[in-house]
Amino acid sequence: MKIGLIGFGKAGKAVANVILQHPDFSLEWVLRSSKTMENISAKEFLGIDSSDPAQIFSQQNIDINTLFENHSVDFIIDFSKEEGIYTYGKAAVQKNVKIISAISHYNENEKDYLKELSKDGVVFWSPNITLGVNYLLFAASLLKNIAPEVDIEVIEEHFKAKAGISGTAMKIAETLDIETENINSVRAGGIVGKHEVIFGFPYQTVRLVHESISREAFGNGALFVAKNLINKENGLYNFEDILKPYFFNETKNN
Amino acid sequence: MKIGLIGFGKAGKAVANVILQHPDFSLEWVLRSSKTMENISAKEFLGIDSSDPAQIFSQQNIDINTLFENHSVDFIIDFSKEEGIYTYGKAAVQKNVKIISAISHYNENEKDYLKELSKDGVVFWSPNITLGVNYLLFAASLLKNIAPEVDIEVIEEHFKAKAGISGTAMKIAETLDIETENINSVRAGGIVGKHEVIFGFPYQTVRLVHESISREAFGNGALFVAKNLINKENGLYNFEDILKPYFFNETKNN
Amino acid sequence: MKIGLIGFGKAGKAVANVILQHPDFSLEWVLRSSKTMENISAKEFLGIDSSDPAQIFSQQNIDINTLFENHSVDFIIDFSKEEGIYTYGKAAVQKNVKIISAISHYNENEKDYLKELSKDGVVFWSPNITLGVNYLLFAASLLKNIAPEVDIEVIEEHFKAKAGISGTAMKIAETLDIETENINSVRAGGIVGKHEVIFGFPYQTVRLVHESISREAFGNGALFVAKNLINKENGLYNFEDILKPYFFNETKNN
Amino acid sequence: MKIGLIGFGKAGKAVANVILQHPDFSLEWVLRSSKTMENISAKEFLGIDSSDPAQIFSQQNIDINTLFENHSVDFIIDFSKEEGIYTYGKAAVQKNVKIISAISHYNENEKDYLKELSKDGVVFWSPNITLGVNYLLFAASLLKNIAPEVDIEVIEEHFKAKAGISGTAMKIAETLDIETENINSVRAGGIVGKHEVIFGFPYQTVRLVHESISREAFGNGALFVAKNLINKENGLYNFEDILKPYFFNETKNN
């Protein structure tokens, strides 16, 4: 499986790190806006020994269609910015390249554009592309469905400087239909990121906890998605769509 | 919904406690082997104000068919012993009374007998009838299915005197196909009961935690099962069978 | 060691439960305001087999001096109400009986009265008399002293119906000089009581956690205090005074 | 305060990272065995903007006395290997340079040598120089002293590949006088490092938890030690010696 990566910020670098070390995927190239890294490859930059090409290109110096033609890929993984999708979206769909976007927030314009693209291609979008957080959302939502009256509270812990409630906690609250006043935000020292959903029953308590160790989790999440998109028909997918079949398969086996 | 309770040990009392306080269920009677409590009702014994009859009978003094005829019920909930099923099984099925057994261990004989009974009636059996533990098993098994290579460890904590690995931890290990050496048993003070399943990914960790507060959780579990058995066809059910439809409904709604 | 217990509410009963089962202490009597239990002993009421007298008296029917004379004790343990101290305070000090008060809140009047009494007797007061919570306060305060700039947050979890921030969490905040906005109150289901103090450093996190299992912890705390008051001179003591010598002894041994 | 760092492995680099960014300390130089980094400074290597010199020297090319004379320091911080102490020990003491060693294991020979050096200088050694772990040991030992009969268990969690029980867990067990069978070792995914000491009382549980985020914690620990050694007399110190005065000061203030 050949991959083209859009964006090379903190998350992009961590994702490149994971792809470069994965035996089943090859990082063909990285496309970024700036020109400052054109002379080195992502593997040189990250100090990783790999046979993947991993060449770094700048949008300023290469046409996207030329890039796809000279360096064909199966997947685009996008960790750039909202507007990144306009750069490569149409070209990718035309070349039958599947799109995996991990952009945190899209405006309505971009969401509409994704829908449009998905008529002619496989398009996936998840604002938090880690397996753990998406599993947490899925499993929590299942328990809420089983026990709709249960008391639910969320504790999210992050480093001192993080402002506001975390996006993931907001997503959990939205998914479980609880108030933001039931989100408890702890800010202390260098905590990387922890989310805990507490389900309080009268005589027992269930807790679902996700702890982040590093941004490389985004890379594993993106590759997990890639594997699961291989045989998908054209359409727009989110992480829940990817997780559901695992449940159905599981029930069949029992 | 009218309930007949078999057994009045520690768990049986806690379950009676929950049924007596639930508006949708009525505790019609309790059947136990000993004769020592025949003169008081379960509600008097527990000091609970309730309009349920809750009369305590002894197997030594009443015929099971007479009991069913004079004090009809919709459900039997069994917290007695392995051999309890032979006392009421046949009579219950004949009277169209659904059976909910929460016996911890059955021998093959009893398992066969349950299967036999389930041809003509609704029969449910769960060795740990709490909602929380069964949800945990279900959700953990789902994550294992999604990420079969993930490292899994179990921590179970109980009071100092508890001997051996907990039955619930053994069940978790069996369900997730991990070795008992990956179960860590903590025995300290008066800890009521805690089970934690740790899923270790390279860059993130997911934890599913169940904490017991009191035995009344068995009562809520049994009533949850009762509600979900109301429209079931004849057959033998376990807790997973009860939980699955919640998932399917959930997916339909999205 | 002979003990007289003042008060027989939920906490008082749990404390009686512990004293009755402790080999080194004897529950001589319980004094309460109501007359409704005068005909049975605390051990009969609680169903505990013990050789302690444990007779229940009502303030309405017995004079406190008569009580002390006919049923002498070494300690008073008070789990009644604010004004309880006025009933027995003076008489206790005159008879050389040590006072252990576990009343949650005292007004200035009562605090002054305690000070007055402590001139002529050993008087101890702790609003939360569990060993665990007091250790937590002590250990947390030590870490704050070592690392005054560390980020501190408190999470306290209790059953759904508990209103307001817990008194223990307020005491922690006061002791550590942090704002109440850094206390996160989780209310869910039947959680008995959990307090967690999080110390966030840039590259590590320290957590001190206390979990309550049952009110009997008050009994063990009170007896721990009693043991440690045996050789104390007249004066007013709190739980920190009781804990400090353990530290000093420890350092001597190393 | 001027610092010379011995060793520039993973821990040494993390420590340099912390010193370079601290306003009160200056990293004068790094001394390592290999010659491969002599041409760049530690700040260039780490990409940190700092006014500290931070020059990297190799033992193969510079005499230790010359180094001390041309680049005077107040402290040596040693993150190299067991035998490192022989390189700089005597010279440091002669120049009145305080020694802070964070070597994990020393043989008897080195321990004797430290004692010898400490007759003429300030010498500190801690095999785990983080503030958090040392506080944990201290606070746990205090609780054990208060409640010698309490049940104690340790859970330590690390990444899958870590072999054997962690050194810190062994140290905890030794300090608290518990058996290694009461240490529960969890190995899963990429967990950086977590140690939890569980104190199980009959009616309550106390947990002390330390979580590592990154090796930079060693740097903060070393600088904390340095600050506290400034006015110390000649002698051999460990981390407990550094922590104790905080307790005594605290009690004085109350």
Side-chain angles (χ1 to χ4, degrees):
Chain A
M1 291 292 120
K2 295 187 197 168
I3 291 177
L5 176 65
I6 317 289
F8 203 59
K10 283 182 186 172
K13 280 167 193 153
V15 169
N17 190 5
V18 169
I19 304 173
L20 284 166
Q21 297 181 62
H22 199 294
D24 301 344
F25 293 91
S26 167
L27 182 60
E28 296 297 302
W29 43 259
V30 176
L31 183 65
R32 55 199 301 268
S33 41
S34 157
K35 292 189 288 187
T36 53
M37 288 185 189
E38 282 185 312
N39 297 322
I40 56 167
S41 73
K43 58 190 179 180
E44 282 167 315
F45 180 84
L46 297 167
I48 294 170
D49 196 28
S50 161
S51 60
D52 302 0
Q55 202 180 332
I56 300 180
F57 294 100
S58 166
Q59 286 172 28
Q60 300 179 36
N61 286 334
I62 193 162
D63 172 71
I64 188 75
N65 286 302
T66 314
L67 182 60
F68 278 129
E69 273 154 36
N70 297 348
H71 307 270
S72 76
V73 294
D74 303 296
F75 292 96
I76 285 289
I77 295 180
D78 184 0
F79 276 88
S80 65
K81 295 194 179 140
E82 276 187 1
E83 58 276 13
I85 184 73
Y86 298 119
T87 316
Y88 65 83
K90 209 159 184 181
V93 166
Q94 280 168 358
K95 303 278 181 201
N96 217 15
V97 174
K98 295 180 170 70
I99 296 171
I100 296 172
S101 167
I103 302 304
S104 303
H105 297 281
Y106 273 138
N107 292 323
E108 288 310 312
N109 275 352
E110 282 83 38
K111 290 182 193 173
D112 291 346
Y113 188 59
L114 288 179
K115 254 179 234 166
E116 197 59 32
L117 290 172
S118 72
K119 290 177 187 166
D120 306 313
V122 172
V123 180
F124 172 94
W125 174 46
S126 171
N128 178 328
I129 206 167
T130 65
L131 181 58
V133 162
N134 284 286
Y135 166 77
L136 191 79
L137 284 165
F138 195 71
S141 152
L142 175 56
L143 184 48
K144 164 85 179 204
N145 214 38
I146 294 169
E149 320 256 288
V150 67
D151 302 322
I152 305 178
E153 293 237 9
V154 175
I155 302 173
E156 56 107 346
E157 302 181 9
H158 286 90
F159 48 94
K160 184 68 177 176
K162 187 174 176 73
I165 299 176
S166 80
T168 298
M170 291 301 287
K171 175 77 180 168
I172 293 171
E174 185 197 311
T175 303
L176 301 181
D177 195 22
I178 61 172
E179 304 299 317
T180 52
E181 67 182 43
N182 290 322
I183 302 176
N184 302 275
S185 295
V186 168
R187 294 291 173 269
I191 297 173
V192 178
K194 181 176 171 182
H195 289 88
E196 176 170 353
V197 188
I198 302 173
F199 292 86
F201 295 89
Y203 309 115
Q204 58 193 320
T205 310
V206 172
R207 296 168 194 266
L208 307 183
V209 187
H210 179 266
E211 290 160 299
S212 296
I213 298 171
S214 72
R215 286 189 187 87
E216 271 76 4
F218 295 129
N220 280 358
L223 294 186
F224 174 81
V225 168
K227 265 183 237 165
N228 283 280
L229 288 180
I230 290 171
N231 296 314
K232 285 274 193 282
E233 292 170 20
N234 290 351
L236 183 55
Y237 300 90
N238 63 24
F239 219 116
E240 198 180 348
D241 301 320
I242 301 298
L243 291 180
K244 269 181 201 167
Y246 285 90
F247 178 78
F248 289 94
N249 292 341
E250 191 247 357
T251 62
K252 275 176 212 148
N253 296 338
N254 281 1
Chain B
M1 293 291 120
K2 295 186 197 168
I3 291 177
L5 177 65
I6 316 290
F8 202 60
K10 284 183 186 172
K13 280 168 193 151
V15 169
N17 191 6
V18 169
I19 304 173
L20 285 167
Q21 297 182 60
H22 199 294
D24 301 343
F25 293 91
S26 167
L27 182 60
E28 295 298 302
W29 43 260
V30 175
L31 183 66
R32 55 199 300 270
S33 40
S34 158
K35 291 190 289 188
T36 53
M37 288 185 188
E38 283 185 312
N39 298 321
I40 57 167
S41 72
K43 58 189 179 182
E44 281 167 316
F45 180 85
L46 296 167
I48 294 170
D49 196 28
S50 162
S51 60
D52 302 0
Q55 203 179 331
I56 299 181
F57 294 99
S58 166
Q59 287 172 28
Q60 301 179 36
N61 287 334
I62 193 163
D63 172 71
I64 187 75
N65 286 301
T66 314
L67 182 60
F68 277 130
E69 273 155 37
N70 296 349
H71 307 271
S72 76
V73 295
D74 302 297
F75 292 96
I76 286 289
I77 294 180
D78 183 0
F79 275 89
S80 64
K81 295 191 180 144
E82 276 186 1
E83 57 277 14
I85 183 75
Y86 298 118
T87 317
Y88 64 82
K90 209 159 182 180
V93 166
Q94 278 168 359
K95 302 280 181 201
N96 218 15
V97 174
K98 295 179 171 70
I99 296 171
I100 297 172
S101 166
I103 302 305
S104 303
H105 297 281
Y106 273 138
N107 292 322
E108 288 309 312
N109 275 351
E110 283 83 39
K111 290 183 194 171
D112 290 346
Y113 188 58
L114 288 179
K115 254 179 234 165
E116 197 58 32
L117 290 172
S118 72
K119 290 178 187 165
D120 304 314
V122 172
V123 181
F124 172 94
W125 173 45
S126 171
N128 178 327
I129 206 167
T130 65
L131 182 57
V133 161
N134 284 286
Y135 166 77
L136 191 79
L137 284 166
F138 194 72
S141 150
L142 177 55
L143 184 47
K144 165 85 179 205
N145 214 37
I146 294 169
E149 321 254 288
V150 67
D151 301 323
I152 306 180
E153 294 237 8
V154 175
I155 301 173
E156 56 106 347
E157 302 181 9
H158 286 89
F159 48 95
K160 184 69 179 176
K162 188 175 175 73
I165 299 177
S166 81
T168 298
M170 291 302 286
K171 175 76 179 169
I172 293 171
E174 185 197 312
T175 304
L176 302 181
D177 194 23
I178 61 171
E179 305 298 319
T180 53
E181 67 181 45
N182 290 322
I183 302 177
N184 302 275
S185 295
V186 169
R187 293 293 173 265
I191 297 173
V192 179
K194 180 175 172 182
H195 290 88
E196 176 170 354
V197 188
I198 303 173
F199 293 87
F201 294 90
Y203 309 116
Q204 58 193 320
T205 311
V206 171
R207 295 167 195 266
L208 307 183
V209 188
H210 179 267
E211 290 160 298
S212 296
I213 297 171
S214 72
R215 287 190 186 84
E216 272 75 5
F218 294 129
N220 280 358
L223 295 187
F224 174 80
V225 168
K227 263 184 238 164
N228 284 280
L229 288 180
I230 289 172
N231 296 314
K232 285 275 193 281
E233 292 170 20
N234 291 351
L236 182 56
Y237 299 90
N238 63 24
F239 218 116
E240 198 181 349
D241 300 321
I242 301 297
L243 292 180
K244 269 180 203 169
Y246 285 90
F247 178 76
F248 289 94
N249 293 342
E250 191 249 357
T251 62
K252 276 177 211 147
N253 296 339
N254 282 1
Chain C
M1 293 289 120
K2 296 186 196 168
I3 291 176
L5 176 65
I6 316 290
F8 203 59
K10 283 182 188 172
K13 280 167 192 152
V15 169
N17 190 6
V18 170
I19 304 173
L20 284 167
Q21 297 182 61
H22 199 293
D24 301 343
F25 294 91
S26 167
L27 183 59
E28 296 298 302
W29 43 259
V30 175
L31 183 65
R32 55 199 299 270
S33 40
S34 158
K35 291 189 288 189
T36 52
M37 289 185 189
E38 282 185 312
N39 297 324
I40 57 167
S41 72
K43 58 190 177 181
E44 281 167 316
F45 181 84
L46 297 166
I48 294 171
D49 195 28
S50 161
S51 60
D52 302 1
Q55 202 180 330
I56 299 181
F57 294 99
S58 167
Q59 287 172 28
Q60 300 179 38
N61 286 335
I62 194 163
D63 173 70
I64 187 75
N65 285 302
T66 314
L67 182 60
F68 278 130
E69 273 154 35
N70 296 349
H71 307 270
S72 77
V73 294
D74 302 298
F75 291 96
I76 285 290
I77 295 180
D78 184 359
F79 275 89
S80 65
K81 297 199 178 134
E82 278 188 0
E83 57 277 14
I85 184 74
Y86 298 118
T87 317
Y88 64 82
K90 210 159 183 180
V93 166
Q94 278 168 359
K95 303 278 182 202
N96 217 16
V97 173
K98 294 181 170 68
I99 296 170
I100 296 172
S101 167
I103 302 304
S104 303
H105 297 282
Y106 273 138
N107 292 323
E108 288 310 312
N109 276 351
E110 283 83 38
K111 291 183 193 171
D112 290 346
Y113 188 58
L114 287 179
K115 255 180 234 163
E116 197 58 31
L117 290 172
S118 72
K119 289 178 187 163
D120 305 313
V122 171
V123 181
F124 172 93
W125 174 45
S126 171
N128 178 329
I129 206 169
T130 65
L131 181 57
V133 162
N134 284 286
Y135 166 77
L136 191 79
L137 284 165
F138 195 71
S141 151
L142 176 56
L143 184 47
K144 166 83 179 207
N145 213 38
I146 293 169
E149 321 255 288
V150 69
D151 301 323
I152 306 179
E153 294 238 8
V154 175
I155 301 173
E156 57 106 347
E157 301 181 10
H158 286 89
F159 47 95
K160 185 67 178 175
K162 187 174 176 75
I165 299 177
S166 81
T168 298
M170 292 301 287
K171 175 76 180 168
I172 294 171
E174 185 196 312
T175 304
L176 301 182
D177 195 23
I178 62 171
E179 305 299 318
T180 52
E181 68 180 46
N182 290 323
I183 301 177
N184 302 275
S185 295
V186 169
R187 294 291 172 269
I191 297 173
V192 179
K194 180 175 172 183
H195 289 89
E196 176 170 353
V197 188
I198 302 172
F199 293 86
F201 294 89
Y203 309 115
Q204 59 193 320
T205 310
V206 171
R207 296 168 193 266
L208 306 184
V209 187
H210 179 266
E211 289 160 299
S212 296
I213 297 171
S214 72
R215 287 190 185 86
E216 272 75 6
F218 294 129
N220 279 359
L223 295 186
F224 174 80
V225 168
K227 265 184 236 166
N228 284 279
L229 287 181
I230 289 171
N231 296 314
K232 285 274 193 284
E233 293 170 19
N234 291 350
L236 183 56
Y237 299 90
N238 63 25
F239 219 116
E240 198 181 349
D241 300 320
I242 300 296
L243 291 180
K244 269 182 202 166
Y246 285 89
F247 178 77
F248 288 96
N249 293 342
E250 191 247 358
T251 62
K252 275 177 211 146
N253 297 338
N254 282 1
Chain D
M1 291 293 120
K2 295 186 197 169
I3 291 177
L5 177 65
I6 316 290
F8 202 60
K10 282 183 188 173
K13 280 167 193 152
V15 169
N17 190 6
V18 170
I19 304 173
L20 285 166
Q21 296 182 61
H22 199 293
D24 302 343
F25 292 91
S26 168
L27 182 59
E28 295 297 302
W29 42 260
V30 175
L31 183 66
R32 55 198 300 270
S33 41
S34 157
K35 292 188 290 187
T36 53
M37 287 185 190
E38 283 185 314
N39 297 322
I40 57 166
S41 73
K43 60 190 178 181
E44 280 167 317
F45 180 84
L46 296 166
I48 294 170
D49 196 28
S50 161
S51 60
D52 301 0
Q55 203 179 332
I56 300 180
F57 294 99
S58 166
Q59 287 173 27
Q60 301 178 37
N61 286 334
I62 194 162
D63 172 71
I64 187 75
N65 286 302
T66 314
L67 181 61
F68 278 130
E69 271 155 36
N70 296 349
H71 306 271
S72 76
V73 294
D74 302 296
F75 291 96
I76 284 290
I77 295 180
D78 183 359
F79 276 88
S80 64
K81 294 193 180 141
E82 277 186 1
E83 58 276 14
I85 184 74
Y86 298 118
T87 317
Y88 64 83
K90 208 158 184 183
V93 167
Q94 279 168 358
K95 302 280 181 201
N96 218 16
V97 174
K98 294 179 171 71
I99 295 171
I100 297 171
S101 166
I103 301 305
S104 303
H105 297 282
Y106 273 137
N107 292 322
E108 289 310 312
N109 275 352
E110 283 83 40
K111 291 183 192 171
D112 290 345
Y113 188 59
L114 287 179
K115 255 180 234 165
E116 196 58 34
L117 290 172
S118 72
K119 291 178 187 164
D120 305 312
V122 172
V123 180
F124 172 95
W125 175 45
S126 171
N128 179 328
I129 206 166
T130 65
L131 182 57
V133 162
N134 284 285
Y135 165 77
L136 190 79
L137 283 166
F138 194 71
S141 152
L142 176 55
L143 184 48
K144 165 85 179 204
N145 213 37
I146 293 170
E149 321 255 288
V150 68
D151 301 323
I152 306 179
E153 293 237 10
V154 174
I155 301 172
E156 57 107 346
E157 302 181 9
H158 286 89
F159 47 95
K160 185 67 179 175
K162 186 174 176 75
I165 299 177
S166 81
T168 297
M170 291 301 287
K171 174 77 180 169
I172 293 172
E174 184 197 312
T175 304
L176 301 181
D177 195 22
I178 61 171
E179 305 299 318
T180 52
E181 68 181 44
N182 290 322
I183 303 177
N184 302 275
S185 295
V186 169
R187 294 290 173 268
I191 297 173
V192 179
K194 180 176 172 181
H195 289 88
E196 176 170 354
V197 188
I198 303 173
F199 292 86
F201 294 90
Y203 309 115
Q204 59 193 320
T205 310
V206 171
R207 295 167 194 267
L208 307 184
V209 187
H210 179 267
E211 290 159 299
S212 296
I213 298 171
S214 72
R215 287 189 185 85
E216 272 75 5
F218 295 128
N220 279 359
L223 295 186
F224 175 80
V225 168
K227 265 184 237 165
N228 284 279
L229 287 180
I230 289 172
N231 297 314
K232 285 275 192 282
E233 293 169 20
N234 290 352
L236 183 55
Y237 300 90
N238 63 25
F239 218 116
E240 199 181 348
D241 300 320
I242 301 297
L243 291 180
K244 270 181 202 167
Y246 285 90
F247 177 77
F248 288 95
N249 293 341
E250 191 248 356
T251 62
K252 276 177 211 148
N253 297 337
N254 281 1

